[in-house]
Amino acid sequence: LPDTLIDFNSIDSKPLEFQTALVAPPKVVKAGLPKLKRDVSLGILEFSEDQGLPGYRVTAMMQDSHGMLWIATDKGLCRFNGEYLEIYTFIEAVFTGSIAEVSSMLEDQKGRIWIYSQGGIYILDHVTGLVAKIKGSANFNNTKCDLLVDHRGLIWQGTAQDGLFIIDPEQETLRHVAQLHKDDAGNTKKLIEDEEGNIWVGSPTGLSIVNYETGKVRYLDDQNGLPANQVKGLFQDRNN
């Protein structure tokens, strides 16, 4: 497919609306020591419910700028400092004992934690003690989709069929790009930013490379470089 051009600055911006609440004090649990995993040939250690995690199925993890490890499971969100787990309960429950699945988490330039879940996008601010949920964000098809903060501070939200959403946290606005090219079916699940500021967008139909400044979108598939069309993950190492 030929390259496409998108004037991101001309896309209509819609104001964000928030539902804001005080964060309830987290439950604090002293974590147990990891244990050796059974029936494996290598020395693999387990850190699960026996060590204090709220649930055994981990869906997302991140480390913030203070070195804290954030872990989302099927039953809760926690922050781990190496000794204690702080377990938070503000994420909407989908049924008794289980929260909406968290797909991705990030820390923005103000140190706030953004949590992208099936129940919507939450923004946790430790300084103010508030958590805000973006109204309407639960309507996005976001199972196993990425959330990315770029070097400008913009938040890029991938979806399975609704295209890209670009959030400006400073202006509190949202822009929507329904498709990057005509054959992507609105799938923008996997996101990463390279050292030049390009946004790489992976989908089942190929890979789009977005230059936000020029609006140029380059497309790669199995006809021009990829071994296969389906992109399931993106990662940049320290050398490339």
Side-chain angles (χ1 to χ4, degrees):
L1 291 174
D3 296 341
T4 57
L5 286 174
I6 299 173
D7 186 352
F8 291 97
N9 292 319
S10 69
I11 298 172
D12 289 339
S13 296
K14 296 182 179 180
L16 291 173
E17 295 183 8
F18 301 93
Q19 180 181 345
T20 304
L22 288 170
V23 179
K27 178 182 178 182
V28 180
V29 176
K30 184 173 176 58
L33 293 174
K35 64 181 180 181
L36 192 66
K37 187 175 178 65
R38 296 180 179 180
D39 302 323
V40 295
S41 57
L42 299 175
I44 299 175
L45 298 177
E46 278 188 319
F47 191 84
S48 188
E49 289 179 303
D50 290 342
Q51 287 71 42
L53 277 185
Y56 68 91
R57 189 167 70 89
V58 175
T59 61
M61 293 192 298
M62 64 154 281
Q63 187 175 30
D64 66 23
S65 58
H66 301 286
M68 300 291 191
L69 185 64
W70 293 80
I71 307 167
T73 77
D74 57 325
K75 294 183 180 179
L77 171 70
C78 59
R79 184 174 73 158
F80 183 43
N81 66 6
E83 185 175 4
Y84 290 94
L85 289 158
E86 297 176 349
I87 302 171
Y88 293 88
T89 58
F90 57 80
I91 296 177
E92 178 183 350
V94 288
F95 52 84
T96 303
S98 181
I99 66 169
E101 181 174 320
V102 174
S103 297
S104 183
M105 295 184 286
L106 61 81
E107 181 181 12
D108 69 15
Q109 294 180 346
K110 292 184 176 180
R112 299 174 300 183
I113 306 301
W114 291 59
I115 300 117
Y116 187 13
S117 79
Q118 287 179 318
I121 295 177
Y122 298 84
I123 307 165
L124 176 61
D125 190 331
H126 269 283
V127 176
T128 63
L130 297 174
V131 61
K133 181 180 179 182
I134 299 177
K135 290 184 177 181
S137 56
N139 296 329
F140 302 137
N141 187 340
N142 54 26
T143 304
K144 295 180 174 60
C145 297
D146 287 346
L147 199 64
L148 169 76
V149 57
D150 68 15
H151 71 280
R152 310 167 193 83
L154 298 176
I155 308 293
W156 296 68
Q157 177 190 357
T159 71
Q161 63 186 30
D162 297 319
L164 270 176
F165 292 88
I166 305 172
I167 298 171
D168 187 329
E170 290 294 328
Q171 301 297 322
E172 296 186 350
T173 56
L174 175 77
R175 283 173 289 166
H176 180 215
V177 182
Q179 287 183 296
L180 293 174
H181 60 83
K182 65 181 183 65
D183 291 336
D184 66 13
N187 189 300
T188 58
K189 293 181 72 170
K190 298 302 172 184
L191 302 170
I192 197 171
E193 183 181 24
D194 65 23
E195 291 182 349
E196 297 179 353
N198 298 308
I199 307 299
W200 295 57
V201 184
S203 76
T205 59
L207 183 65
S208 298
I209 306 170
V210 180
N211 185 312
Y212 181 82
E213 306 298 341
T214 66
K216 181 178 178 180
V217 181
R218 183 185 176 197
Y219 179 68
L220 298 176
D221 62 9
D222 59 1
Q223 300 299 309
N224 60 352
L226 290 183
N229 283 339
Q230 189 161 10
V231 178
K232 295 185 176 181
L234 295 169
F235 175 78
Q236 183 177 18
D237 64 30
R238 67 183 65 183
N239 297 317
N240 295 290

